[in-house]
Amino acid sequence: MEYKLQRLEPTVTIDNHSQETCPKCKQVQKRYFICVCLLCVFFAVINLMVIVFVLGRSNDRNDSDIVKQLHALQARVQDLEEISSKSLSVTNEAHHKPESLKNEVFHTSTLTEMLFESRVKRNADKRKKPKPNKQRHKSCCKRKSVVLPALHSSGRGGYHTDENLSGTFHKFEYADWFFNQPHKAKEKQFELNFPNGKLTVKQSGLYLLYSQITLKGNGTHGYHVIRNDKSPILACYSNNMMLHDEDKTSCFTMGMVKLDKGDTIEIRHISKAGIRAVFTSNASFFGLIKVGVFNKKGVVFAV
């Protein structure tokens, strides 16, 4: 048996034009629209109620804050009234106090003023008094002035020739400033023997010794600085072979020498005859300056 499939087709066809003209569809649409509008109105009412509720709560809070502030102001006013009333009562009592109480108050004020003045005076006296520590410090730091042992002797003028003194230069004299030294210091330091030109040292120590002799003429000239008539400790030589008989040459020497108490210093020419020297104060001179002292171990310390 053969069956034929047949396509089922709807018997009723609905088009747009039929929907627009159908009364049932129009009613359904109206109902749907009304429901949507009602829902919108409902939500709007709820929003308004919420806004009104929130505003009411805020107003209530503001009202409560204002009430609290009013209560605080009233309490403050009451406190001020009590304080003013107390002050008035105190002033009235003070006006009606007896004279004895007034005198006691006056005496107490004068006593406090006297105590304050005495305290101020004491503080001023303490400030004026110098501190003993500072005074001691200043006195310790003060430097004591010490006379420096020194000597400068220069020529007495004119010329120096051999005068049977074995060639020793002896026409020396003290410098002017040496006489300004204290008398005791001069006696303790040096002694110059004018006849023979020897210098005696009275203090042991380390000395800077210097000397200059201006010699005249040609030939080989020079001199020695001798200690205790023994070997020379300093020497100076000059060769004047090219000079004329009247020409002059200065011979200078200097050195550090250790001298003991009682040592003698003299200046001798290298020859005993034919000695000619210019003995003005700026041409021929010698001197000593004490720069240090020796301890028992031989260590030098400054003066």
Side-chain angles (χ1 to χ4, degrees), residues 216-276:
K216 190 175 181 181
N218 56 7
T220 302
H221 292 288
Y223 62 89
H224 294 154
V225 180
I226 299 173
R227 178 177 62 182
N228 297 331
D229 293 328
K230 296 180 181 179
S231 59
I233 54 177
L234 293 174
C236 184
Y237 304 99
S238 66
N239 191 354
N240 305 325
M241 298 299 293
M242 301 300 293
L243 299 178
H244 298 287
D245 193 36
E246 295 298 324
D247 290 337
K248 305 170 186 175
T249 56
S250 296
C251 195
F252 179 82
T253 184
M254 181 175 63
M256 301 286 287
V257 184
K258 179 183 178 182
L259 299 175
D260 297 325
K261 184 178 180 181
D263 286 349
T264 59
I265 301 294
E266 59 181 318
I267 300 174
R268 291 181 187 174
H269 199 277
I270 57 176
S271 63
K272 296 180 181 179
I275 302 169
R276 287 191 303 167

Side-chain angles (χ1 to χ4, degrees), residues 106-125:
F106 177 74
H107 286 304
T108 53
S109 63
T110 54
L111 285 171
T112 54
E113 289 177 357
M114 289 172 65
L115 290 171
F116 180 73
E117 289 177 356
S118 63
R119 189 179 296 172
V120 170
K121 287 181 180 179
R122 267 181 273 148
N123 291 331
D125 294 335

